[in-house]
Amino acid sequence: MIRPAIVADSGPLISLAIIGQLDLLRQLYQRVLVPPAVWHEVTVKGLGMPGAQAVAQLSWLEIRKPEQQVLQPLSILVDPGEAEAIALAQTIADSIVLLDDSQARRVAERFHIPRIGTLGILRKAKKQGLIAVIRPHVEYLRANNIYMAENLVEAVLRDVGEWN
């Protein structure tokens, strides 16, 4: 099922920017939303850091504030950007939240919110023929100090026929 909207957290946006693959989000989803805390974290607090300029220039990215009553219980469980992303995904029909942080993913799961991570986006893009390979992207992210669990990397690479 193709979901019409994805709500992104900062980590995956930065990761996709580092490998020059932000446009995959627009190719895979009808709408790409970010909450204000994520926008601020990436483009203001992260000014001069990897991904800041690339994300700031995305004309197709929608900045949307989550409802306060939905956000409140999440704020004590995860950081502000993750809380806003999860809260926003809760209120947008047929959306999925883009998270890499394991604690945030567990919280989204507890609230029955569909989730995907950077590796999931790359896997989906390869399966749809949008990219040819995943392994070089994984290696480049690791070289840029982006952590990915080895068992998850192995599972994704095996699934797409890139594990040797």
Side-chain angles (χ1 to χ4, degrees):
M1 168 166 125
I2 295 178
R3 295 194 180 270
I6 188 165
V7 180
D9 184 36
S10 57
L13 284 176
I14 292 166
S15 292
L16 290 169
I18 286 172
I19 59 174
Q21 295 295 333
L22 279 166
D23 205 53
L24 289 176
L25 295 175
R26 184 171 61 158
Q27 294 173 312
L28 294 168
Y29 299 92
Q30 294 171 13
R31 297 172 65 201
V32 182
L33 301 104
V34 295
V38 169
W39 177 261
H40 188 267
E41 185 178 338
V42 175
T43 65
V44 178
K45 283 174 51 180
L47 190 63
M49 300 295 286
Q53 185 175 1
V55 170
Q57 293 175 342
L58 297 176
S59 61
W60 43 265
L61 204 62
E62 297 177 48
I63 301 168
R64 186 147 163 208
K65 191 173 183 171
E67 295 173 17
Q68 190 58 38
Q69 67 271 23
V70 178
L71 176 63
Q72 194 65 39
L74 296 164
S75 298
I76 60 170
L77 300 171
V78 290
D79 79 29
E82 294 161 348
E84 284 192 5
I86 294 167
L88 191 54
Q90 267 187 296
T91 59
I92 299 190
D94 295 322
S95 67
I96 188 168
V97 65
L98 176 58
L99 298 163
D100 281 342
D101 179 79
S102 59
Q103 169 67 16
R105 290 173 67 88
R106 283 191 299 274
V107 169
E109 182 178 16
R110 255 186 265 142
F111 284 86
H112 307 289
I113 300 162
R115 64 221 170 280
I116 193 169
T118 301
L119 284 171
I121 293 291
L122 294 174
R123 178 185 168 274
K124 188 172 183 172
K126 180 170 181 178
K127 289 195 175 246
Q128 291 189 20
L130 300 173
I131 59 174
V133 290
I134 294 174
R135 182 182 290 278
H137 294 306
V138 169
E139 291 170 358
Y140 193 76
L141 286 169
R142 285 182 163 165
N144 281 275
N145 300 313
I146 302 295
Y147 172 78
M148 289 171 278
E150 185 57 41
N151 62 333
L152 184 58
V153 170
E154 179 180 341
V156 169
L157 293 179
R158 278 187 192 280
D159 182 58
V160 298
E162 292 185 43
W163 188 256
N164 46 352

